[in-house]
Amino acid sequence: MLELKKIDKYYNPGTVNEMCLFQDFNLKLEKGEFLSVVGSNGSGKTSMLNIICGSIPIERGQVSVGGRDITREKEYRRNRKIGRVYQNPAMGTCPSMTILENMALADNKGKLYGLGRGTNKARIGYYKEQLAQLGLGLEDKLEVKAGSLSGGQRQAMALLMSVMTPIEFLILDEHTAALDPKTAELIMELTDKIVKEKKLTTIMVTHNLRYAVEYGNRLVMMHEGKIILDKKDEEKKKIQIDDILKLFNEISIECGN
């Protein structure tokens, strides 16, 4: 279980530009849940992910996993159990390294690095098997540098690399936003397959309302650092895209837009 409890988050505290994003923010995610998060720009979606991953500090509150307080735990330690895929495909892979080297790097996540070989030849067959499931032919391009791949190929690889080691949480930060529609569909199908096979607790931030409705067992809508809609399981199945659009429009009117 993942829990954010009574979170306060300020940007530029103590200055004229001080801005309170979260005040007494709470979220509890049960093990195995697949949560889709939607909301307008500035609603706090990505900041929430950064707080979970330890990328940004908080002023008050607690982040806990399985009842264990990890609020002060460093980001690199949390990352041992968290896989994260970003919006920009370039952030999930190293462009100057080959596909093989990238796979080996992901395979050794959380392990101590010595002066030995960076790539274990005994694992090459395994890497090929993993890449083959993408259906992109990358298993035959192990010596090709990741920087020469298309955005979709790199994002598919980044998704695969994020779950190569045993993790507890998969964090998806608008991971299809920079892709063309056809490639985005492929990445979402792959995402769903991986989440179900590995039974991962997943949080997916997305601007694609159809994906938010179709994937996962829970849907949350955020606005100005608050959760204004939270539906799961059977209630979530009843949610339609038009319902979310209506709520977006109501908020827009209230804000004078």
Side-chain angles (χ1 to χ4, degrees):
M1 180 182 74
L2 170 69
E3 185 173 13
L4 303 181
K5 190 174 182 180
K6 297 184 178 299
I7 300 293
D8 285 359
K9 175 59 190 174
Y10 292 82
Y11 284 105
N12 307 309
T15 72
V16 294
N17 295 318
E18 179 176 304
M19 189 271 285
C20 176
L21 177 60
F22 293 126
Q23 188 169 38
D24 201 33
F25 179 84
N26 298 281
L27 176 70
K28 185 184 290 186
L29 194 65
E30 298 296 336
K31 185 176 181 179
E33 279 195 333
F34 185 159
L35 170 66
S36 295
V37 182
V38 297
S40 56
N41 291 332
S43 62
K45 304 184 301 298
T46 295
S47 290
M48 179 183 71
L49 299 185
N50 286 332
I51 288 171
I52 292 170
C53 294
S55 305
I56 58 175
I58 55 176
E59 277 60 54
R60 185 178 74 96
Q62 185 182 84
V63 181
S64 63
V65 173
R68 182 172 65 89
D69 186 355
I70 64 167
T71 310
R72 304 304 169 197
E73 193 169 277
K74 298 294 185 182
E75 181 178 12
Y76 77 90
R77 288 189 176 275
R78 298 192 201 186
N79 284 347
R80 292 174 181 173
K81 294 297 182 180
I82 296 176
R84 187 170 184 176
V85 185
Y86 297 85
Q87 177 178 339
N88 184 353
M91 293 184 69
T93 56
C94 182
S96 62
M97 297 172 67
T98 65
I99 292 176
L100 177 59
E101 290 168 339
N102 271 277
M103 295 292 283
L105 191 65
D107 198 18
N108 286 283
K109 177 183 174 182
K111 298 177 184 176
L112 294 175
Y113 286 86
L115 297 176
R117 286 178 175 270
T119 303
N120 183 350
K121 290 185 177 181
R123 297 285 284 171
I124 292 178
Y126 171 73
Y127 300 154
K128 285 187 174 183
E129 288 177 8
Q130 294 299 301
L131 290 165
Q133 68 177 304
L134 302 179
L136 299 173
L138 298 181
E139 67 275 14
D140 298 322
K141 301 177 181 179
L142 293 184
E143 299 305 320
V144 172
K145 290 191 175 182
S148 67
L149 301 178
S150 69
Q153 288 174 321
R154 290 183 72 173
Q155 197 69 316
M157 211 172 99
L159 179 60
L160 188 63
M161 289 167 58
S162 71
V163 298
M164 281 187 68
T165 55
I167 60 172
E168 295 178 9
F169 303 99
L170 179 60
I171 303 294
L172 306 168
D173 191 359
E174 298 186 43
H175 71 311
T176 63
L179 307 176
D180 64 83
K182 183 179 179 181
T183 306
E185 292 290 340
L186 170 67
I187 296 299
M188 276 310 307
E189 289 172 6
L190 178 62
T191 298
D192 195 47
K193 178 175 179 286
I194 288 174
V195 168
K196 288 176 177 176
E197 285 182 353
K198 295 183 177 288
K199 299 179 181 178
L200 295 172
T201 304
T202 304
I203 302 178
M204 177 179 72
V205 166
T206 181
H207 280 295
N208 189 309
L209 299 186
R210 181 169 66 81
Y211 293 164
V213 168
E214 289 184 5
Y215 293 93
N217 71 306
R218 184 177 174 189
L219 188 151
V220 157
M221 183 174 180
M222 296 178 64
H223 177 62
E224 295 183 344
K226 297 180 178 63
I227 293 175
I228 61 172
L229 177 72
D230 189 351
K231 300 292 183 180
K232 64 185 296 184
D233 299 329
E234 293 305 314
E235 284 190 337
K236 196 256 185 183
K237 290 178 181 178
K238 297 176 184 177
I239 292 287
Q240 302 293 320
I241 294 176
D242 287 344
D243 298 327
I244 305 175
L245 285 173
K246 181 181 178 182
L247 194 50
F248 265 118
N249 290 333
E250 289 173 358
I251 291 169
S252 182
I253 292 171
E254 288 177 7
C255 294
N257 296 326

